[in-house]
């Protein structure tokens, strides 16, 4: 029997980028003796279904299936994609602003089979615009190539280039927490839980995917906000998983360590005239500040503006503990809705 694999994509009003991604996925070739049955699953987070025309136009060796998740927010669209891929042996998460180079799919699937890992993740190589400020070339914020070696075992991953075996998303469920509706980090929260549940996450350096970096993400203001949001998301994730004094203390220690290391990198950057150190100092400092903010539930709603929401739409069990719109239906109808996230079930 063949091994079924779904490539899961969530999208929101990015038709041109989605088209480029789907074209690159349809161009992927697998060895003739491969036993993989691959399909593409697209979840449109626009209630108007604006991605329909692009999805219908996608042709190639792999079937494309789609659904609309009208509830705005990344966690709901991601949870919907898990629902649609529930019966597949594995799903691969990629973002709608990425492009898969030749050989990417075969490499990722090969790494999964050869390592026997539960999760395989690879690097993102950002393609900067020609007029990007010079400091971008000295920062690794848009490029994760070379950060790890193939086979390295990690304690976290993200949904921008990652294969997840079926047993993982069947056990660690619901996957994506509504607290991260517009802030990002729902994937970090999920994979931290995956790691804590005992699943093995392995890096594959050769399974590289590319991403066009928009000009709006090449500014120092964006860098500072992203660092703050990442740090906050980390603290919120860890406190949600293990509420209590111990987790709060660890998050506080981590935040202070980040801030302390920022001063170390800043001093080294000035003495050694290393621009990479100076940029790392900026990121670590604001990441540490974000980590402190996250302990008390403060985060940056990076994606709220794209959804044109007014800020009054808290969902049940989110950080505001408000009442609001319902969640996407879960893959397993027997389980509670995503807005009633059972972190307490974790071992």
């Amino acid at each position: 029997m063949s091994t079924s694999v779904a490539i899961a994509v969530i999208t929101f009003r990015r038709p041109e980028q989605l088209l480029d991604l789907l074209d690159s996925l349809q161009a992927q070739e697998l060895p003739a003796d491969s036993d993989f049955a691959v399909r593409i699953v697209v979840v449109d987070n626009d209630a108007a279904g604006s991605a329909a025309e692009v999805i219908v136009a996608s042709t190639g060796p792999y079937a494309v299936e789609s659904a609309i998740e009208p509830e705005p927010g990344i966690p709901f669209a991601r949870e919907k994609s898990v629902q649609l891929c529930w019966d597949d042996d594995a799903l691969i998460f990629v973002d709608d602003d990425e492009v898969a180079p030749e050989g990417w799919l075969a490499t990722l699937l090969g790494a999964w089979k050869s390592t026997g890992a539960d999760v395989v993740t690879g690097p993102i190589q950002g393609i900067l615009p020609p007029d990007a400020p010079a400091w971008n070339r000295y920062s690794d914020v848009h490029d994760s190539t070379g950060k790890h070696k193939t086979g390295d075992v990690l304690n976290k991953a993200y949904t921008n280039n990652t294969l997840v075996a079926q047993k993982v998303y069947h056990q660690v469920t619901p996957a994506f927490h509504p607290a991260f509706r517009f802030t990002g980090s729902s994937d970090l929260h999920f994979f931290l839980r995956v790691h804590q549940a005992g699943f093995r996450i392995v890096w594959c350096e050769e399974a590289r995917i590319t991403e066009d970096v928009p000009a709006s993400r090449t500014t120092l203001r964006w860098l500072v906000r992203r660092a703050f949001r990442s740090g906050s998301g980390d603290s919120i994730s860890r406190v949600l998983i293990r509420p209590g004094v111990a987790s709060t203390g660890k998050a506080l220690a981590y935040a202070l360590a980040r801030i302390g290391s920022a001063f170390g990198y800043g001093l080294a950057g000035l003495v050694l005239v290393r621009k990479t150190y100076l940029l790392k100092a900026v990121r670590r400092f604001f990441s540490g500040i974000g980590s402190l903010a996250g302990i008390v539930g403060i985060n940056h709603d990076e994606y709220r503006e794209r959804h044109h929401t007014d800020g009054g739409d808290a969902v049940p069990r989110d950080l505001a503990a408000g009442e609001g719109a319902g969640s996407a239906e879960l893959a397993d109808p027997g389980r509670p809705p995503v807005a009633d996230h059972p972190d307490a079930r974790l071992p």
Side-chain angles (χ1 to χ4, degrees), residues 141-222:
V141 66
H142 297 301
D143 194 337
S144 56
T145 59
K147 287 190 173 182
H148 307 284
K149 295 180 180 179
T150 295
D152 283 354
V153 178
L154 310 181
N155 61 7
K156 62 184 177 182
Y158 302 92
T159 54
N160 47 17
N161 181 16
T162 301
L163 180 149
V164 184
Q166 182 192 74
K167 59 183 177 180
V168 175
Y169 53 86
H170 276 197
Q171 180 172 326
V172 184
T173 181
F176 300 106
H177 199 300
F180 305 97
R181 178 193 283 263
F182 298 123
T183 64
S185 296
S186 63
D187 52 351
L188 170 64
H189 177 254
F190 170 62
F191 284 111
L192 287 174
R193 294 164 57 219
V194 167
H195 176 258
Q196 291 194 11
F199 293 108
R200 189 162 63 104
I201 303 172
V202 170
W203 182 263
C204 179
E205 178 69 18
E206 294 77 20
R208 174 184 60 88
I209 204 165
T210 65
E211 175 185 80
D212 283 331
V213 179
S216 61
R217 295 189 177 188
T218 62
T219 66
L220 284 172
R221 180 180 181 181
W222 178 87

Side-chain angles (χ1 to χ4, degrees), residues 1-7 35-39 84-92 109 112-113 117-119 163-170:
M1 294 181 62
S2 60
T3 301
S4 61
V5 177
I7 303 176
D35 67 343
F36 293 106
V38 177
R39 66 193 182 105
L84 297 172
C85 303
W86 192 254
D87 294 327
D88 289 286
D89 296 308
L91 67 85
I92 299 172
L109 293 174
W112 179 41
K113 286 299 185 181
D118 305 302
V119 176
L163 180 149
V164 184
Q166 182 192 74
K167 59 183 177 180
V168 175
Y169 53 86
H170 276 197

Side-chain angles (χ1 to χ4, degrees), residues 125-143:
Q125 183 178 28
I127 308 300
L128 296 170
D131 57 348
W135 66 262
N136 283 268
R137 297 194 298 271
Y138 303 103
S139 174
D140 60 357
V141 66
H142 297 301
D143 194 337

Side-chain angles (χ1 to χ4, degrees), residues 55-127:
I55 295 169
V56 171
S58 178
T59 59
Y62 308 118
V64 180
E65 301 177 28
S66 64
I68 293 174
E69 176 46 63
E71 186 64 38
I74 294 171
F76 299 98
R78 284 182 178 152
E79 195 69 45
K80 187 74 169 184
S81 68
V82 173
Q83 171 190 348
L84 297 172
C85 303
W86 192 254
D87 294 327
D88 289 286
D89 296 308
L91 67 85
I92 299 172
F93 288 108
V94 294
D95 287 345
D96 65 349
D97 57 352
E98 296 175 336
V99 171
E102 180 181 352
W104 164 80
L105 180 59
T107 300
L108 191 62
L109 293 174
W112 179 41
K113 286 299 185 181
S114 64
T115 63
D118 305 302
V119 176
V120 179
T121 187
I124 308 300
Q125 183 178 28
I127 308 300

